[in-house]
Amino acid sequence: MITTNKVLAFVSVLSLSQIASGEDWLQFRGNDHRGISLKSETPTNLSKNNIAWKIPLPGRGLSSPIVIGNRVFLTASSTADQSRLHVICANKDNGEIEWERQFWATGRTICHEKTCVAAPTPVSDGKNIYALYSSNDLICLDLDGNLKWIRGLMQDYPNASNSLGLASSPIIVDGTLIVQIENDSDSFVSGINLKDGSNIWKLARTKKANWTSPIRLNDKEVAIQGSEGITCVSAKSGTVQWSFNEGASTIPSSVTSADSAILYVPSNGITAIKPRKDNNTPEIVWQESQLRPGTSSPIIVGDNIYIINRAGVLNAAKKDTGERLWRLRLEGPFSGSPVSSNGHIYVASERKGVFQSIDINGKEGMLRGSIELGETILGTPAIANNSIFIRSDGHLWKISNPK
Amino acid sequence: MISLVTAHYYIPMKSLFVLITLAINYLPLLANQTSTSIETILAIGPEGKGNSRASKAWEELINQPDQKTLMSIFGAMNEAGPVASNWLRSAAEVVFKNLQEDQKTSINTLGEYFLDKKNSSRARRFAFELIKRNDPEVAAEIIPGLLNDPSPELRRDAISLLIKKGKSLEEEGKKNSAILIYRQALNSAIEANQVKPLSESLKRLGAKVDLPKHFGFLMRWHSIGPFDNTNRNGFEKVYPPENEINLESEYEGKSQAARWKQIESYDPFGKIDFNKPLGLLKESVAYAYTEFESISSRTAELRLGCKNAWKIWVNGDFIFGRDEYHRGQKIDQYKMNIQLKKGKNTILVKACQNEQTEEWTVQWEFQLRICDESGVAILASNREATPVKDQSERRSRRPKKS
């Protein structure tokens, strides 16, 4: 006879295996910030039939969803002054809200009308989620919504704010939460203790507004992008390892090659740099001024780098040389960044939320399909378990192949 | 959650006796535990200090999902700082969710908390939202009575209803009735995104609105400048007005002698524009000084909108400063707690213009008002009529007060 304990144990194992077998999407542009899902068989010939579900959201947001096991987590901000912060957990399969937590913004909520307080994407280590807002509230919850810790970074550092809004998404490297709070006044990047939210280190940065996100270079190091260029720091200690000082964009973020050997920086168009083992100034592998990204961050898929410029044109170039290959005008403009799986690039336009799939397998890029979601979309999609998750200010969609 | 009525079928009498005995002895401990947990959360410090202890305390609170715990948490929100309030809010959210079988009682108790205007404004709004979750009809009945509530969020709902009503009357062609309703709404409105459309509606219907007085913008100042702000160094540099206020004095300025001049704002949102007295300058610092007569000693909020680097002093005490340029400006962008003295209070604003030459960097201005915690204007006892351009040109040049 099977005892209750054995049944519970079986259910637990089943539950864990469900979580473990999934391909999670743990942060802005995926687990390695490259915007790629290698395993997912996402839909390509898009139509309304691919909308698996759509759920209303309690507030605005530019943040991407993140996916852990069978749950999707998302932040939002609401009320007239954007002072109500939300963390939402929805069931990945059916979109049902499992839990929601609300908080009061403890820092200033002013931002440009296009953006909002829920601009940074949350990050997870698979155990907890860490949600940062433009008000500089940093909140850690476990996957069941239990509060683990809170930081009011603007309470601690009253001038750490940007009147246009902050947008940098935190990341986790070497067991440290990296937050980049760069603005014209009190600018810094900090390594935060995952357990209690305390500062492990805090590094002063150039007083200049910056909306880029930190990038994981390898298991130990992080690239911090700013107007002066790239600074590589040790995630654990905050010690500066090397710098690239030829300037960089303050909106689109860099991307690394699959082996993390090359960093593609939005600087004078795109500059591909190769860090040196002795930590001297990185080698410039190539530089192409015609590859100038707009708001979207670049993406590397296979042998190519793809960039969407201000005019909404997708540019493909060889990642090893910067040689330009083809251009394809998309239905833009774009604020979110492209992601990729199944041999396609996915991106949603601001106006009307036209979600587009571009086939990048051939000699030229080809628009394979699109769905007009009918709402302004400013965020970057997430991909997990053969599905794409994308949000507007009003809704979260799951897009997948019909069962 | 199993209620006692159903649970007793599963508990033998002896065990029930033991449970009752435990409860009698343990309940005070539980209450004590709640109090300790709340104190732990209230004790959190800056930079994450106390977060680990607070996390355990939070778990202890949510594991006592009863009404006493809920109301203890709400009570604590009255004294909690902004970050501790969030710990408490989320604990209350979970405790309330687990109280669902006890809805009516929880509504009554929460209702008492909500109705007491001495309680924290934000926590009262939260209590209202919990009531609304359980009984939307009751909540809807309550909203019209919140027109002058100290909580801006509660007040907002009531004003929205009046705006809707006014629009409906306007569409029916009942102009005078619409004006009356809009007026009633405006008298209570404190947030710019409600005041502005209300003002526009009233103006459209031919009614006058004194927006500077409504908000309490300080419209009359003395200004002096320009001082040097090359390389943005002027923000930190101490110029004479920071050491003394003598409206008759003349100082060495950036490229010319700096003298105090009277300036008035004709802007409906109280913008004081340094470009008018000083010209379209770059890399320059200017100061504005005014005096505010308060009928009593009281706490107040100084609310500033400014897209230039700025510093503020009240009665000679430095309040706050920020060296950000041209990233955005809005009414009530910065909120600062101040203490007003009975009688004369001095206010000094430093505003720095930088080197940028883009069209959107021309502005060298600020807008400042004094209000209570809710945002309701506190008017100076010596406040003069709102400046009107034609009349002001005929005014004498004697010193003016706000």
Side-chain angles (χ1 to χ4, degrees):
Chain A
M1 185 181 166
I2 299 171
T3 64
T4 307
N5 282 346
K6 280 181 180 172
V7 170
L8 284 173
F10 174 75
V11 169
S12 298
V13 168
L14 182 68
S15 172
L16 279 172
S17 68
Q18 282 175 335
I19 291 169
S21 68
E23 188 191 16
D24 296 341
W25 189 272
L26 297 174
Q27 61 198 357
F28 176 55
R29 296 197 294 162
N31 300 351
D32 54 4
H33 313 112
R34 298 184 56 246
I36 295 177
S37 174
L38 295 172
K39 297 175 188 169
S40 280
E41 296 206 357
T42 42
T44 54
N45 295 312
L46 298 172
S47 74
K48 297 271 183 186
N49 291 335
N50 294 116
I51 298 176
W53 50 255
K54 170 187 175 185
I55 57 168
L57 297 175
R60 295 191 60 195
L62 278 72
S63 58
S64 303
I66 60 171
V67 185
I68 306 159
N70 58 353
R71 292 159 154 183
V72 186
F73 300 86
L74 190 63
T75 60
S77 53
S78 68
T79 71
D81 62 355
Q82 294 276 306
S83 63
R84 190 72 62 85
L85 314 178
H86 306 252
V87 182
I88 303 136
C89 170
N91 182 292
K92 181 169 65 75
D93 297 328
N94 56 27
E96 280 180 17
I97 299 292
E98 292 194 5
W99 54 262
E100 183 194 344
R101 296 283 177 268
Q102 293 185 20
F103 301 90
W104 290 302
T106 68
R108 288 181 286 279
T109 57
I110 181 175
C111 46
H112 188 278
E113 60 187 19
K114 185 171 176 180
T115 182
C116 70
V117 173
T121 297
V123 59
S124 177
D125 53 5
K127 283 163 55 184
N128 296 319
I129 54 171
Y130 307 85
L132 178 67
Y133 298 82
S134 176
S135 57
N136 266 341
D137 289 290
L138 179 60
I139 296 162
C140 173
L141 297 153
D142 72 15
L143 303 187
D144 294 323
N146 294 308
L147 184 58
K148 308 313 281 185
W149 52 260
I150 315 179
R151 286 290 300 276
L153 293 170
M154 219 183 292
Q155 293 288 314
D156 293 335
Y157 317 111
N159 257 324
S161 72
N162 181 342
S163 297
L164 288 175
L166 293 160
S168 177
S169 300
I171 63 167
I172 297 169
V173 177
D174 203 9
T176 308
L177 180 67
I178 312 292
V179 292
Q180 188 177 357
I181 312 291
E182 298 196 12
N183 56 88
D184 290 350
S185 192
D186 185 358
S187 231
F188 65 89
V189 58
S190 185
I192 303 277
N193 189 327
L194 292 176
K195 287 182 183 169
D196 63 6
S198 60
N199 292 351
I200 300 171
W201 52 268
K202 183 167 176 270
L203 187 67
R205 294 276 294 164
T206 303
K207 287 183 169 192
K208 180 89 176 171
N210 183 6
W211 295 270
T212 64
S213 298
I215 304 295
R216 177 189 170 279
L217 280 176
N218 53 52
D219 289 346
K220 304 284 180 191
E221 294 173 326
V222 180
I224 307 296
Q225 180 179 325
S227 57
E228 292 178 345
I230 297 286
T231 306
C232 168
V233 299
S234 155
K236 211 74 173 174
S237 66
T239 310
V240 174
Q241 308 295 306
W242 53 261
S243 298
F244 166 75
N245 298 319
E246 294 200 13
S249 168
T250 53
I251 297 178
S253 299
S254 301
V255 64
T256 63
S257 57
D259 59 2
S260 296
I262 308 288
L263 184 67
Y264 300 86
V265 185
S267 168
N268 300 312
I270 290 288
T271 302
I273 61 172
K274 186 175 185 180
R276 300 178 197 269
K277 286 181 181 171
D278 62 3
N279 280 343
N280 276 323
T281 303
E283 172 193 349
I284 293 179
V285 181
W286 57 262
Q287 196 169 61
E288 174 53 67
S289 61
Q290 297 299 309
L291 293 172
R292 194 171 291 276
T295 303
S296 310
S297 300
I299 186 170
I300 305 273
V301 188
D303 294 333
N304 297 341
I305 181 168
Y306 299 90
I307 285 146
I308 299 175
N309 67 16
R310 279 190 182 180
V313 175
L314 178 66
N315 289 263
K318 288 184 179 176
K319 74 174 172 56
D320 293 335
T321 61
E323 181 192 340
R324 297 171 72 190
L325 297 171
W326 50 260
R327 292 156 56 88
L328 178 67
R329 181 169 292 280
L330 303 176
E331 186 163 347
F334 300 97
S335 276
S337 295
V339 293
S340 177
S341 74
N342 203 13
H344 286 69
I345 280 177
Y346 298 92
V347 67
S349 71
E350 280 180 33
R351 291 185 202 130
K352 300 178 191 170
V354 181
F355 184 70
Q356 298 157 67
S357 72
I358 301 101
D359 187 339
I360 53 172
N361 294 300
K363 285 187 177 176
E364 298 279 332
M366 185 176 72
L367 183 67
R368 175 70 65 184
S370 67
I371 313 173
E372 186 176 314
L373 297 173
E375 294 178 34
T376 300
I377 292 182
L378 302 167
T380 299
I383 304 175
N385 302 105
N386 309 321
S387 301
I388 303 162
F389 300 87
I390 186 150
R391 67 94 55 85
S392 68
D393 279 345
H395 293 92
L396 171 66
W397 288 267
K398 177 183 177 180
I399 294 168
S400 58
N401 284 311
K403 286 180 182 174
Chain B
M1 201 167 82
I2 301 169
S3 75
L4 269 178
V5 177
T6 53
H8 83 272
Y9 292 110
Y10 303 97
I11 301 172
M13 283 309 290
K14 190 178 172 184
S15 299
L16 190 61
F17 176 75
V18 172
L19 273 178
I20 290 168
T21 309
L22 272 174
I24 289 167
N25 291 309
Y26 196 59
L27 274 177
L29 285 177
L30 279 179
N32 197 32
Q33 181 62 59
T34 302
S35 167
T36 306
S37 302
I38 286 172
E39 282 168 20
T40 302
I41 287 173
L42 291 177
I44 58 159
E47 298 189 316
K49 288 185 180 67
N51 265 344
S52 295
R53 288 190 296 277
S55 176
K56 286 177 189 154
W58 189 89
E59 277 180 32
E60 285 159 4
L61 287 177
I62 64 158
N63 285 328
Q64 297 172 56
D66 55 53
Q67 203 176 51
K68 273 190 175 175
T69 304
L70 182 71
M71 296 322 299
S72 297
I73 297 170
F74 266 97
M77 284 190 222
N78 290 341
E79 53 181 305
V83 180
S85 289
N86 269 331
W87 279 98
L88 296 168
R89 183 199 162 98
S90 62
E93 203 161 34
V94 178
V95 168
F96 181 80
K97 191 180 177 192
N98 293 332
L99 275 183
Q100 290 299 309
E101 290 180 24
D102 209 5
Q103 289 176 1
K104 284 188 179 174
T105 321
S106 59
I107 277 186
N108 289 342
T109 322
L110 273 175
E112 284 170 24
Y113 182 91
F114 156 71
L115 288 171
D116 186 349
K117 293 179 182 173
K118 290 196 293 294
N119 289 323
S120 152
S121 287
R122 289 195 310 184
R124 287 181 56 241
R125 169 73 196 193
F126 179 35
F128 176 74
E129 287 175 10
L130 294 181
I131 291 165
K132 192 176 171 183
R133 270 186 220 173
N134 274 358
D135 197 336
E137 286 180 15
V138 164
E141 292 291 328
I142 288 170
I143 288 173
L146 302 173
L147 202 54
N148 292 306
D149 197 277
S151 159
E153 274 193 276
L154 289 169
R155 186 185 281 237
R156 182 177 182 80
D157 287 353
I159 293 162
S160 294
L161 285 181
L162 284 181
I163 292 173
K164 202 173 166 186
K165 178 70 181 168
K167 277 182 185 165
S168 161
L169 289 166
E170 209 181 330
E171 282 164 12
E172 290 170 28
K174 296 176 180 173
K175 180 182 163 185
N176 289 335
S177 301
I179 289 174
L180 190 60
I181 292 295
Y182 285 142
R183 277 266 181 236
Q184 189 188 12
L186 183 63
N187 286 345
S188 298
I190 48 182
E191 293 175 347
N193 49 20
Q194 285 193 319
V195 172
K196 282 181 184 176
L198 276 167
S199 162
E200 283 160 13
S201 296
L202 283 163
K203 283 179 185 168
R204 190 173 57 242
L205 295 174
K208 285 185 180 174
V209 178
D210 187 345
L211 281 175
K213 189 178 179 186
H214 179 87
F215 280 109
F217 285 117
L218 306 187
M219 304 295 278
R220 293 187 170 89
W221 296 75
H222 299 273
S223 76
I224 190 167
F227 298 99
D228 188 35
N229 191 31
T230 304
N231 297 324
R232 307 187 184 191
N233 291 330
F235 178 76
E236 290 298 343
K237 192 162 183 184
V238 176
Y239 289 110
E242 294 180 37
N243 293 323
E244 62 160 13
I245 297 294
N246 181 348
L247 301 180
E248 306 304 320
S249 285
E250 181 179 302
Y251 307 102
E252 184 183 345
K254 184 183 179 185
S255 54
Q256 55 190 286
R259 297 184 192 90
W260 289 99
K261 296 174 187 171
Q262 293 170 47
I263 50 172
E264 291 178 332
S265 171
Y266 307 113
D267 182 73
F269 301 102
K271 288 181 181 172
I272 301 295
D273 184 358
F274 288 110
N275 285 322
K276 286 182 180 162
L278 297 174
L280 294 169
L281 299 178
K282 289 288 172 182
E283 298 189 297
S284 299
V285 172
Y287 292 85
Y289 170 82
T290 194
E291 293 172 358
F292 182 96
E293 296 275 348
S294 174
I295 56 168
S296 63
S297 170
R298 60 169 297 171
T299 57
E301 278 191 9
L302 203 57
R303 295 192 178 184
L304 173 82
C306 185
K307 65 184 296 209
N308 306 93
W310 57 271
K311 289 184 177 178
I312 286 188
W313 294 259
V314 173
N315 294 324
D317 296 329
F318 176 67
I319 303 296
F320 196 68
R322 176 163 174 77
D323 51 344
E324 180 185 63
Y325 292 89
H326 302 296
R327 296 299 186 190
Q329 174 178 348
K330 75 168 193 177
I331 294 168
D332 295 351
Q333 185 174 358
Y334 303 100
K335 299 175 183 176
M336 295 156 275
N337 294 322
I338 57 165
Q339 180 66 41
L340 289 174
K341 295 187 296 187
K342 183 178 180 183
K344 184 176 94 173
N345 294 268
T346 65
I347 301 170
L348 179 68
V349 176
K350 179 180 189 176
C352 310
Q353 175 64 297
N354 69 351
E355 74 292 341
Q356 286 178 270
T357 53
E358 296 94 334
E359 191 183 345
W360 43 272
T361 64
V362 169
Q363 292 85 358
W364 186 15
E365 63 191 23
F366 70 92
Q367 52 195 155
L368 187 75
R369 70 191 194 105
I370 295 179
C371 60
D372 66 15
E373 190 187 7
S374 303
V376 175
I378 299 173
L379 299 180
S381 59
N382 62 331
R383 185 181 180 92
E384 294 183 36
T386 297
V388 178
K389 206 161 195 176
D390 292 340
Q391 288 173 2
S392 69
E393 285 170 359
R394 292 197 295 272
R395 281 177 194 276
S396 67
R397 294 184 63 79
R398 65 181 167 79
K400 302 274 175 31
K401 293 175 180 176
S402 295

